Amino acid sequence: MATAIAHPNIALVKYWGKQSGSGNLPATPSVSVTVAGLTTTTRVVPAERDALRINGDIRRESKVKSLLDALRDDFEVPPVSIETRNDFPTGAGLASSASGFAALVTAIDGEFDLGLTPRERSAWSRQGSASAARSIFGGFATLASQDGAWTGAELLAKDAWPLEVVIAVTAEEPKPVSSSEGMERSRSTSPFYDAWCRHADADFDTACRAVAERDFESLCEVAEHSCHKLHALMLSSRPALLYWNQATVAAIETTRQLRQAGTPVFYTIDAGPQVKAVCAPGYGAGVAKLLARSPGVLRVVRGELGDGARIVAEPRLS
Ligand code: 2P0
């Protein structure tokens, strides 16, 4: 049996919307940081028939079945029992599908000696969930079209710019509308969708440059802009997608006040109500202290930038 771990990633330039056709190809390129404070652990064991357990519960997930079918078109992959655990809320805007599919592909690659390169694991993970393509890599990662193929890549190693991440958890329950459903709704109903796609390359280039130059202010500006545009797109969908709650808004305000007072920190929010604050090295403790006191915040999770998906020798599931 092979056991893999992967961490979720937080997009600084967001992916939202798919190209038409098969393969789960994003409509927009994205930039993310992989976060060590949250972990998915997945064990794959050959079995009589395919089975999936998430956090102990038997599940049928069509995206997992589709990915296994696609892998079997190219490789000898026998029936598998998959057991996966998240040490953080599942399906609540904390990118559990990103870490989930990155860990799954990595575990299958390890168990059945598929011999995949990280870029190949990334491309397979993307078929399960596009954001998973980024969790194959540590530090700063991208998901973009390279040489005609949509795959993830490492943009900068975590130690080269060890930013810190503080997640203000404002709700633990799963989100009401899945990301796949939400992005299709935005594509088909929002009057802002074309503009969202048109400006994505420029945001991607700005963020890549900011990371390469360790330019915190520039990264802050483009990341919050991408986040605001994502949520404007969601709000302009029909029916509107509103993933925030009151504590989300309060945590945004807390983060803005911190920045005004001189702390190098910015926020970003995904398809859920959690607020992710990204700060310069050394500021995580102070940001966590204030966000923990922000009205309605249930708890904060601190994370350093993490490594990419990998096989672990010591199974931690049992
Ligand atoms: C992102 N999100 O770039 C954006 C920002 C949520 C908001 O990628 O349909 O779970 O499985 O490819 O990757 C969430 O979408 O969607 C996501 P699918 P995924 O992180």
Side-chain angles (χ1 to χ4, degrees), residues 21-218:
S22 60
N24 201 29
L25 299 175
T28 62
S30 51
V31 179
S32 63
V33 284
T34 299
V35 183
L38 313 168
T39 303
T40 295
T41 305
T42 299
R43 178 189 293 165
V44 166
V45 188
E48 278 183 19
R49 63 182 74 86
D50 287 339
L52 170 67
R53 272 179 195 271
I54 302 179
N55 296 332
D57 297 330
I58 296 171
R59 298 274 288 265
R60 283 179 209 283
E61 295 286 338
S62 59
K63 286 181 174 180
V64 171
K65 183 180 180 319
S66 302
L67 177 62
L68 290 173
D69 288 348
L71 278 165
R72 285 174 181 140
D73 287 341
D74 284 18
F75 301 100
E76 286 285 323
V77 177
V80 281
S81 168
I82 301 163
E83 194 176 349
T84 186
R85 281 190 186 276
N86 297 320
D87 67 0
F88 59 95
T90 301
L94 288 171
S96 54
S97 66
S99 52
F101 279 104
L104 176 60
V105 169
T106 301
I108 290 175
D109 179 43
E111 175 64 22
F112 302 111
D113 294 322
L114 305 189
L116 301 177
T117 64
R119 275 182 66 151
E120 288 168 338
R121 276 190 288 130
S122 176
W124 282 109
S125 303
R126 189 210 68 233
Q127 296 206 27
S129 202
S131 53
R134 301 183 309 236
S135 275
I136 293 295
F137 300 96
F140 298 80
T142 56
L143 172 57
S145 174
Q146 294 182 3
D147 311 323
W150 277 83
T151 176
E154 184 183 278
L155 179 60
L156 188 72
K158 62 179 180 133
D159 297 334
W161 198 21
L163 298 184
E164 295 183 47
V165 178
V166 179
I167 301 170
V169 178
T170 68
E172 306 270 4
E173 62 266 18
K175 58 193 161 199
V177 181
S178 75
S179 291
S180 300
E181 191 184 335
M183 57 181 87
E184 173 52 22
R185 190 184 296 178
S186 296
R187 187 197 65 75
S188 57
T189 65
S190 170
F192 299 163
Y193 186 74
D194 288 345
W196 162 256
C197 292
R198 229 177 17 254
H199 295 279
D201 282 346
D203 289 350
F204 178 79
D205 291 345
T206 302
C208 289
R209 207 176 315 118
V211 170
E213 295 171 359
R214 280 73 145 174
D215 181 343
F216 191 86
E217 259 180 51
S218 170

